Every structure is written in structure tokens, then in C-alpha cells.
Amino acid sequence: RYSIPAAFAFLALAGFLVLSIMNRPLSKETMNSLIDKKLEKMVESHDEISSAVLTIYSDTRHLNETYAAGYTGENLSEPVTVGHPWYSASIGKTFTASLIGILCEQGKIGLDDPISRYLDGNLLEGLFVFEGTDYSNRVTVRHLLGHTSGIGDYYEDPVIHGDTMTERLKSQPDKVWTPLELVAFTREYQPAVSAPGDTFHYSDTGYILLGFIIEKVTGQEFHEVMHENILDPLDMDDTYVVFKSKPMIPQKLDILEVYIDGIDFSDTNILSFDWSGGGLITTMSDLLKFSKALHGGKIVSADTLAMMTDFRHEYDNGVHYGLGMMEFRFGEFSPFLKGLPDICGGVGSTSAFMMYDTMNDIHIIANFGSVGFMEESVPFLADVLMTVDRLRE
């Protein structure tokens, strides 16, 4: 899903190197002009996407820059703005992990509690059977958060028979998926991949179970807990859990396109397949509010954030995972990028990003709206960060 490192091998990396060597200082006006042109060129030259939105924010560097390129709507005739809502995919996992963190700080959940304390045996049946042994009583909340429970992934894992989830989504775009159906899909078609704690294996199914845990300990529906603890306190008035809640301010704009294999599914029921694994519709300004609050200690404590950002698991070369958050280590992508700081945050398979450069206090939020565009989008973010680094007041 996040096949990124290969992209850097095919880039004209000499261009990055020349940019680094020249390092000519830029005014803010020139920087914005350059990034605008880069974004427009990116959209115009790739058929996989029809639009892109980008935000760069930093208190310490006095940046609050927004960019938009491309078109949306019927026949792609409407210019895209930074105010358009969009599907944030697995960025929502950072929200779910934050809710778990809040409940842990309230003493309602323990990270090392067995999930069988909160979820009944009927729900867990068959999900954690590996090589003939049922490990469901050994799986902890921490295992689910860090994708080390051994459970399969309904979205991307192969199936023992029949169609994969992606094939079913494309053939049944009008079907509304319930969380129980998503778990049942893994139970019926996808065996566990390891015993708990033995392997990192990215799993949307595991995050659906986290949604059920949140509901169990709060006695509320997942979307209610999300609004009460995060969205409403942060005045994220344009953000909601798709098919479950509504934005505080009625939206006047349709969500941007969501491309899977070149087909736009933004106006179908396919987006019901994510829920607590990433079912948020949001906007650039709302996501910036969340990113600033998370890294500013206003959602979870510094100790909880430190656990979320303990990126000990390698997803792929240059891509590391903590608890509900990813980190890009650009120096591992390419030797030409050794000097570029690491960035961390939430990443969605639709080439959606909510990242933070802790070294330079820079938030970078972007959406390209296409599952097939990840390899191009991450190098683009690296290019943007290198351009921002040239800014001189």
C-alpha cells in the first residue's frame, strides 16, 4: 500500500542534488510561486490525479501557506480550492490512536490489557488463529495499535478463496459496509499471519477492533466519541465520520475525487469500508488544527505522544511505524536526501498526508486523492520541504 522507496530510484535525483548544492535563498513570494508551479505541473502531468491541495504551516518560521491545483466536480470543470473537503483515509488511524490514548489517560483502557477484556469471544473467533493455535487471549491493545497482533488485513491481504476486498469494492460500489462485516471478511477469508508480537503486519481489521473497544469502554458510538473528544473541542467543524455523522457546518462543496485504479469512487458507498480505520472526511484547515494540537500537547500527554511516535517497526525501507503514526526517513529513501529531516504523522493510501517536521516545526498537509499516486507524492513532499528550507526572511 505504501510502496514508496522504489519511487526515489526512478527520480532524476540529480535535480534534488543540484537544488541542495545551489541552496539559493528564496523570498516567501518566490517560494510560493515555485511551489504553486510545482503543484500545477504535478497535476497536469499525471493522469492518476485530477487535483491536489497542500498546506505548509510553521509558527517559528511564520508560515501559513496554502496551495491548490486542478479541477473537481462534474466533468472536472470546477477549480479546486483549499476549502474543498476530502477523504483522509488512514490518517484517521492517528485519530483513533489518539482516542485510545485519551482513554488510557482516563484510566479506562490499558495499552497492555488483553483485548479479550473488552471484546467478546464471538467477535474474536477465528481472527487470531495461527498454525492451529488461537492467540486471541494474548493480543493486547498495544498490538492492535502497532499492527503487531498478527491479524489479517481485510483491505489488502490475499484471500483463501473468492474476490479480494478491492475487487468487491469495485464490483459493488453501492454496498454500505458495516464494521462487523469488515471483521467477518477477515475471519472468513484471511488467516492470521503470525502470533501476537512476532511480526509487523499492517491491518485495517485491527483498527476496526479498536473502534469496537472504544465503543465498549465509553458506552457510546465511535463517531460520538470522536466528536466529543477531538472534533468538537478543536472546532473541527468541517470534519466528520463518513456515513456516521455530519459536519457541524453544512458543507457547500462536494468532496474531492477518490481514485482507485483510475476510477473515481467519491460519490459511492465504497467509503463506508474504513470506519475507525480511517473514515474521516476533513479539510486542510481542520487537519492543521488537529496536527498542531497533537504535537502541541493539547490532545494527549507528552508521554502518550512519545509512545505514539516510537517508530520501532519498519514498514518498508524509509517508512517506520509507531502507534497510529508513520515516519518517513528521507535519508533511507535516497543518499541524496540525507540532510532532509524526518517527518511523521498520518498517511492515507489515497496519497493523503498530515506530517510534521519536529526539527524545524513545519506541518505539511497534502491530498492527491489517488491510491495509485503514492510513489510520486512522497518525493514531491521531499521537494517541497527542500524548497521551504531555502526560505530566508
Side-chain angles (χ1 to χ4, degrees), residues 12 16 53 119-120 123 132 145 159 189 234 241 245 254 276 284 286 290 300 307 313 319 341 362 369:
F16 282 129
V53 285
L119 305 175
D120 65 46
L123 180 62
L145 283 169
V159 294
Y189 299 107
L234 294 180
V241 181
S245 63
D254 292 332
S276 55
M284 300 297 284
D286 269 10
F290 176 81
V300 295
M307 288 190 290
H313 301 294
V319 184
I362 297 175

Side-chain angles (χ1 to χ4, degrees), residues 48-331:
E48 300 96 331
I49 58 176
S50 59
S51 68
V53 285
L54 172 70
T55 290
I56 300 170
Y57 181 93
S58 173
D59 280 326
T60 58
R61 302 198 67 176
H62 310 294
L63 294 173
N64 188 10
E65 317 305 313
T66 58
Y67 316 85
Y71 293 86
T72 185
E74 187 175 357
N75 299 319
L76 298 179
S77 58
E78 175 188 347
V80 167
T81 71
V82 293
H84 271 89
W86 45 278
Y87 171 64
S88 62
S90 286
I91 289 177
K93 288 184 173 64
T94 307
F95 284 72
T96 296
S98 297
L99 285 179
I100 294 290
I102 291 170
L103 294 172
C104 284
E105 292 172 5
Q106 293 174 351
K108 296 179 180 179
I109 295 178
L111 285 183
D112 295 310
D113 289 347
I115 64 173
S116 56
R117 179 177 300 179
Y118 308 106
L119 305 175
D120 65 46
N122 289 333
L123 180 62
L124 299 179
E125 182 180 2
L127 295 175
F128 298 98
V129 177
F130 179 67
E131 296 183 346
T133 300
D134 187 348
Y135 291 97
S136 57
N137 288 328
R138 288 177 47 185
V139 177
T140 66
V141 175
R142 189 189 301 271
H143 285 144
L144 293 182
L145 283 169
H147 300 289
T148 58
S149 71
I151 195 172
D153 172 27
Y154 68 78
Y155 180 47
E156 280 208 324
D157 276 2
V159 294
I160 56 177
H161 60 83
D163 293 336
T164 65
M165 175 59 75
T166 300
E167 290 168 341
R168 291 169 188 246
L169 291 174
K170 291 191 292 185
S171 65
Q172 305 175 60
D174 295 325
K175 176 177 173 56
V176 176
W177 292 83
T178 69
L180 284 174
E181 287 178 317
L182 298 173
V183 173
F185 184 86
T186 290
R187 180 185 297 111
E188 185 172 352
Y189 299 107
Q190 299 165 319
V193 299
S194 74
D198 287 356
T199 303
F200 175 87
H201 182 74
Y202 195 96
S203 174
D204 291 277
T205 312
Y207 266 74
I208 299 299
L209 294 181
L210 287 170
F212 283 127
I213 291 174
I214 290 169
E215 291 193 332
K216 178 67 175 180
V217 301
T218 62
Q220 299 174 277
E221 294 192 49
F222 173 77
H223 64 272
E224 294 174 332
V225 183
M226 179 69 73
H227 279 271
E228 181 177 311
N229 289 273
I230 295 179
L231 304 184
D232 294 347
L234 294 180
D235 294 326
M236 296 178 66
D237 295 335
D238 296 316
T239 303
Y240 60 101
V241 181
V242 65
F243 294 109
K244 294 294 184 179
S245 63
K246 300 290 184 181
M248 288 294 292
I249 298 178
Q251 293 180 335
K252 298 179 180 179
L253 300 171
D254 292 332
I255 70 170
L256 296 179
E257 284 68 22
V258 181
Y259 292 106
I260 302 176
D261 293 345
I263 303 171
D264 172 29
F265 290 103
S266 61
D267 61 349
T268 72
N269 292 332
I270 276 183
L271 302 188
S272 63
F273 83 109
D274 242 352
W275 197 51
S276 55
L280 293 177
I281 303 296
T282 190
T283 59
M284 300 297 284
S285 59
D286 269 10
L287 216 51
L288 177 60
K289 291 177 183 177
F290 176 81
S291 186
K292 290 168 60 180
L294 179 63
H295 294 284
K298 296 180 179 179
I299 296 178
V300 295
S301 68
D303 288 342
T304 298
L305 183 61
M307 288 190 290
M308 293 173 67
T309 55
D310 180 8
F311 300 106
R312 64 179 61 190
H313 301 294
E314 185 178 63
Y315 183 99
D316 200 347
N317 184 45
V319 184
H320 298 257
Y321 207 92
L323 300 180
M325 298 177 70
M326 275 189 178
E327 181 179 57
F328 292 160
R329 300 177 185 176
F330 289 109

